[in-house]
Amino acid sequence: MKNIPAGLLALLCTACSTLGFSTLALSTLAGAAEPDPAPDGAPPTLSDIIVIGVTPLPGANVALDKVPAAASTLSADDLARLHSVSILDGMAQRVPGLALSDTQGNALFQDVRYHGFTVSPLQGTPQGIAVYQNGVRLNEAFGDTVNWDLAPEVAIDRLTLATNNPAYGLNALGGAVTLEMKNGFTFQGANAELLGGSNGRVQGSAEFGWQSGAFSLYLAAEAEKDDGWRKQSASDVERFYADAGWRGETAEVHLIAAAARSSLGVVGPTPLEMIQADETAIYTWPQTTKNDSGMLALNGRTDIAPGWALQGNVYGRHFGQKHVDGNDSDFESCSRRSSYGGQLCLEDDAFGTPAGGKTTAFRNQFVITDLAGHTFPFDGDATYGTLDRSATDTTAVGGSLQLTSDRPLMGLGNRFAVGGSIDHSDIRFTATSTLGIINPDLSVTTQGGDAGDVPGAGLIIRTLGNLGYAPVWLSGTTDYYGAYVTDTLDLTPALSLTAGLRLNVADISTRDRGGAAPELNGDNRYTHWNPQAGLTYQLGGGVSVYGGYSQSNRAPTPLELDCADPLRPCLLENSLVADPPLRQVVADTYEAGVRGTQGVLSGRLDWTVGLFRTDSDHDIVALASTIQGRGYYTNVPGTRRQGVDAGLTFAAERWQVYLNYSFVDATYQFDGVLASPNNPQADDAGTITVHSGDRIPGIPRHQVKLGGDVAVTDAWSVGGAVQYYGSQYLVGDDANQNSQLTPYWTMDLRTSYQILSNIQLIGGVNNLFDRRYASYGTYFDTAGASDILGRTLSDARTLTLGAPRTFYGGVKVSF
């Protein structure tokens, strides 16, 4: 075990002093108690002992004050009072250190960034957080993505985000999110909610829970339709969840079914100069994503001896995704001096010198053809683009088994768990690029209108030399095996020791189904042992301290393995082109903190201050190619994410308030060259030089979250939340040479009125002061955009703005 770095202790002073906080600033309770059901806005009744799960399967529970790491929980009521169709809003408002990044311009398709690590629905984003639903892994096999739009929010009983614990397996570099779902034993009755609001928002949900003796049933359904506030950004979502259960004196079994589908307008960032003229403007389109999923699972537990229990699950999941993306292209007329004179070619400067690579100076070598090898005549009046389509179809099956015990060991209190898991996935992936034209409204079309006048329009294209345009037909399998053991032993009534170990084995195989790209064929195995150790000590008076260390790893995904050659980049939402080896990421995490619970003013005050540091070796990053819309993955020697979480929660009979502050310092720990061809500071080869200590882009350093609810009368409640996020570098500015995104803050208000015992009126406003801000920014090729728009653009920044002020209102009925 490595020593905790002494410099980590200085972060608390640095972070808190920046915003004027003392070094004893308090934090929201990491791991808030699960409250009793209460009307929206009413403060929950908090239990005396907060218990959280410490493994993916439910059943291995440990009191929070004996866990040597940070943890945050949200109850069903915490999520319900926000009246959102996505669990992301509740996580962003309440979890310290967590921020949302609206990369694609859709509230249902956002990145979650926690302590500098990301879990995202976007293919191409390196993932660093594991997600489980009732013990079933939700990270999709192809790219480890998590589709938050498919998660049934109304059916969630408790959401927990835990850190510094390798028991959660692959991807838990920054932590793991577990979703414990409702069933007929934990929820009885019925609720229905209908909301309407700005931008054509219509949203409804219903749930029903029933128990009769040993049997139970729970059903839930949700749907939303929203036109979006930007052009071409409409969305609709439908979700269903069901649980049939049986419970005896020593055993319990649940059969679970879930299904969901969504259609999302994910129109991405827009050039800054277009936004300045029209905030609703978008760049080339369409950009749409359609998801569908289905799952069957059987969960169970049984007591096998006094103090010993066995938990397990088996499951089958299907996930399908279809993505359509209209893009700019780097096409021009082939040189008259070549044998393809007057035909359509890739621009001679589109493919420059990749970082660390060799110069490619093949003038007009990359000729655009159809699948039969026929070239296309160049039309000087056409503005060429591509309509890129990809489809992913994944079937996953697996299971987990876990043995737990709370029997004393040598007369000492003890909580023990040992378990294992197997997850197998079959993947089918297809991708094509179709030649099209860009119309005056920036749509990319392949037939009809002007597109009908373009020779070859509507034909699937490729290049002579595969540069991400060739069609791809890929199959693959992933087999993930895990085994873990963890134990928390009370050395004294006040001092507890936690120790654990997990083995991760990942077998990844990919095959070219088209027969034209044998470089996609590959078999890779990644293996790693991850230890954990930590101590907690109860000082008395409800105050305890903790410190811990753990190691975690993640294996490269099939997507990353087949898109890792800078000389042969791919469209990250599309074609795969190569299979050079990538190394697995290994992360060492250290944590230390203090937390407490006290009775104050007839209420309860929960607080915590926590320090963290994670050092990652061979981190995987996504880099842009000099060819527009293409990119690749690579390992970098090292990264570091460190910081502090601090705040408080106070709850009394009629009101509740919370305050969070987080400081996240995410940096590169190496000197080297990275590709960033659209960065204004890039050299002629399209690269920038990164130095150790440069900040990782896209991660705000400072966060402040303040909110609460108050019962003004027995019937009327009012609540709200304020969120502040500090500046961050634009994605692609890894060398920190350009200006940052401006810090921003927003305020939401909500209210409810109980007109009858079972009927409640609901209303609210998000972004009350109509703040204009961007949570995501990157760079683009201004020359290509100028050709499309017919006017010169000089600013390479492209941003995704946050939604303006919106209103909603509705009714909730309980039976």
Side-chain angles (χ1 to χ4, degrees), residues 185-437:
F185 297 122
T186 61
F187 176 88
Q188 291 93 44
N191 292 321
E193 182 176 288
L194 181 64
L195 297 175
S198 304
N199 305 314
R201 175 185 176 186
V202 179
Q203 173 186 329
S205 66
E207 61 177 338
F208 168 78
W210 166 86
Q211 178 185 358
S212 178
F215 297 93
S216 72
L217 180 65
Y218 176 81
L219 303 172
E222 294 175 310
E224 183 198 28
K225 183 176 177 59
D226 192 324
D227 294 334
W229 71 274
R230 299 171 74 198
K231 299 171 183 176
Q232 304 298 325
S233 61
S235 300
D236 67 84
V237 181
E238 295 90 38
R239 299 188 284 249
F240 173 79
Y241 183 86
D243 180 303
W246 172 87
R247 181 167 64 187
E249 292 185 3
T250 61
E252 186 171 344
V253 178
H254 292 269
L255 178 62
I256 297 168
R261 63 161 299 277
S262 64
S263 177
L264 308 176
V266 286
V267 288
T270 302
L272 176 61
E273 291 172 85
M274 292 180 62
I275 293 175
Q276 291 171 334
D278 179 3
E279 291 185 345
T280 68
I282 61 174
Y283 199 39
T284 54
W285 61 278
Q287 293 187 49
T288 61
T289 296
K290 294 185 178 181
N291 296 321
D292 67 85
S293 69
M295 181 182 72
L296 282 175
L298 184 66
N299 294 356
R301 62 167 299 276
T302 182
D303 297 331
I304 59 176
W308 291 86
L310 191 65
Q311 299 96 26
N313 70 5
V314 292
Y315 72 89
R317 291 184 66 234
H318 172 264
F319 171 70
Q321 182 177 83
K322 294 182 179 180
H323 185 77
V324 179
D325 194 357
N327 284 304
D328 184 10
S329 64
D330 291 305
F331 299 158
E332 66 178 1
S333 177
C334 300
S335 171
R336 293 291 178 183
R337 291 175 295 176
S338 74
S339 58
Y340 296 103
Q343 303 299 296
L344 197 63
C345 272
L346 188 66
E347 291 180 0
D348 65 326
D349 60 350
F351 197 51
T353 306
K358 298 179 180 179
T359 302
T360 57
F362 303 122
R363 170 71 182 178
N364 290 327
Q365 176 183 0
F366 300 112
V367 181
I368 305 301
T369 73
D370 62 15
L371 292 181
H374 302 130
T375 60
F376 301 135
F378 175 77
D379 183 349
D381 295 328
T383 303
Y384 288 100
T386 60
L387 201 61
D388 302 307
R389 297 179 174 91
S390 65
T392 306
D393 188 275
T394 303
T395 300
V397 295
S400 303
L401 193 64
Q402 176 177 273
L403 178 67
T404 59
S405 173
D406 58 6
R407 288 183 62 83
L409 177 64
M410 298 181 294
L412 303 176
N414 194 55
R415 287 147 299 279
F416 169 81
V418 60
S421 62
I422 300 175
D423 298 278
H424 170 83
S425 296
D426 290 304
I427 304 164
R428 295 291 184 273
F429 175 80
T430 60
T432 59
S433 288
T434 305
L435 181 64
I437 64 165

Side-chain angles (χ1 to χ4, degrees), residues 328-331 346 350 368-369 371 386 388 431-434 460-463 465-472 569-571 574-577 627-630:
D328 184 10
S329 64
D330 291 305
F331 299 158
L346 188 66
I368 305 301
T369 73
L371 292 181
T386 60
D388 302 307
T432 59
S433 288
T434 305
I460 296 175
I461 63 174
R462 67 184 303 156
T463 54
N466 186 359
L467 296 176
Y469 291 100
V472 173
C570 62
L571 184 66
N574 200 315
S575 303
L576 309 179
V577 294
I627 298 179
Q628 284 299 303
R630 268 62 184 170

Side-chain angles (χ1 to χ4, degrees), residues 766-786:
N766 295 326
N767 194 4
L768 175 66
F769 294 101
D770 202 24
R771 305 286 299 179
R772 311 311 297 133
Y773 65 92
S775 64
Y776 177 84
T778 186
Y779 303 99
F780 75 110
D781 177 18
T782 55
S786 298

Side-chain angles (χ1 to χ4, degrees), residues 390-704:
S390 65
T392 306
D393 188 275
T394 303
T395 300
V397 295
S400 303
L401 193 64
Q402 176 177 273
L403 178 67
T404 59
S405 173
D406 58 6
R407 288 183 62 83
L409 177 64
M410 298 181 294
L412 303 176
N414 194 55
R415 287 147 299 279
F416 169 81
V418 60
S421 62
I422 300 175
D423 298 278
H424 170 83
S425 296
D426 290 304
I427 304 164
R428 295 291 184 273
F429 175 80
T430 60
T432 59
S433 288
T434 305
L435 181 64
I437 64 165
I438 303 176
N439 300 305
D441 64 354
L442 301 185
S443 64
V444 180
T445 57
T446 60
Q447 58 183 357
D450 294 333
D453 300 327
V454 179
L459 296 178
I460 296 175
I461 63 174
R462 67 184 303 156
T463 54
L464 298 183
N466 186 359
L467 296 176
Y469 291 100
V472 173
W473 290 274
L474 181 80
S475 64
T477 61
T478 62
D479 291 286
Y480 297 149
Y481 308 96
Y484 59 86
V485 59
T486 180
D487 190 79
T488 299
L489 178 67
D490 297 334
L491 301 176
T492 73
L495 180 65
S496 298
L497 168 68
T498 294
L501 184 67
R502 169 140 184 162
L503 170 65
N504 290 324
V505 179
D507 288 331
I508 302 169
S509 176
T510 56
R511 294 291 182 269
D512 170 39
R513 292 188 290 129
E519 68 274 8
L520 296 179
N521 299 330
D523 297 284
N524 297 271
R525 165 166 280 202
Y526 298 91
T527 302
H528 206 269
W529 291 91
N530 295 319
Q532 176 195 26
L535 292 168
T536 62
Y537 187 78
Q538 299 181 39
L539 300 174
V543 179
S544 63
V545 296
Y546 67 88
Y549 161 82
S550 73
Q551 196 172 77
S552 56
N553 75 297
R554 90 168 182 91
T557 66
L559 170 63
E560 292 166 337
L561 286 169
D562 285 327
C563 184
D565 189 346
L567 297 177
R568 306 175 74 183
C570 62
L571 184 66
L572 291 183
E573 278 280 7
N574 200 315
S575 303
L576 309 179
V577 294
D579 185 17
L582 287 174
R583 302 182 67 175
Q584 65 182 332
V585 184
V586 178
D588 294 285
T589 296
Y590 314 87
E591 287 195 44
V594 57
R595 53 195 169 211
T597 299
Q598 284 84 33
V600 178
L601 300 175
S602 301
R604 170 170 167 160
L605 177 69
D606 295 305
W607 57 271
T608 183
V609 177
L611 303 169
F612 64 90
R613 170 178 284 183
T614 300
D615 292 322
S616 300
D617 294 329
H618 314 302
D619 214 346
I620 296 174
V621 298
L623 299 177
S625 167
T626 51
I627 298 179
Q628 284 299 303
R630 268 62 184 170
Y632 63 97
Y633 298 94
T634 190
N635 289 113
V636 296
T639 59
R640 172 173 293 167
R641 296 160 175 89
Q642 60 184 357
V644 58
D645 295 324
L648 58 83
T649 293
F650 178 77
E653 182 180 358
R654 300 183 67 89
W655 60 286
Q656 179 189 49
V657 64
Y658 64 87
L659 172 66
N660 297 331
Y661 168 71
S662 293
F663 173 76
V664 180
D665 181 44
T667 58
Y668 292 111
Q669 297 296 303
F670 70 96
D671 296 325
V673 175
L674 296 179
S676 185
N678 296 320
N679 188 315
Q681 304 300 323
D683 59 21
D684 292 341
T687 67
I688 55 177
T689 301
V690 174
H691 299 285
S692 183
D694 285 344
R695 288 168 55 187
I696 300 173
I699 302 171
R701 261 191 161 182
H702 301 284
Q703 302 176 27
V704 179

Side-chain angles (χ1 to χ4, degrees), residues 716-804:
W716 179 34
S717 68
V718 177
V722 177
Q723 299 178 69
Y724 166 87
Y725 297 96
S727 59
Q728 57 183 286
Y729 286 100
L730 277 68
V731 172
D733 190 15
D734 305 85
N736 301 174
Q737 296 174 301
N738 302 300
S739 61
Q740 302 180 55
L741 286 180
T742 304
Y744 66 92
W745 63 272
T746 63
M747 182 175 184
D748 301 339
L749 290 180
R750 58 181 176 267
T751 187
S752 64
Y753 190 84
Q754 204 77 31
I755 58 175
L756 296 174
S757 60
N758 64 333
I759 300 179
Q760 183 182 82
L761 297 181
I762 300 163
V765 54
N766 295 326
N767 194 4
L768 175 66
F769 294 101
D770 202 24
R771 305 286 299 179
R772 311 311 297 133
Y773 65 92
S775 64
Y776 177 84
T778 186
Y779 303 99
F780 75 110
D781 177 18
T782 55
S786 298
D787 293 340
I788 295 172
L789 298 173
R791 59 187 177 93
T792 301
L793 296 184
S794 59
D795 198 315
R797 289 174 293 178
T798 179
L799 310 177
T800 304
L801 294 185

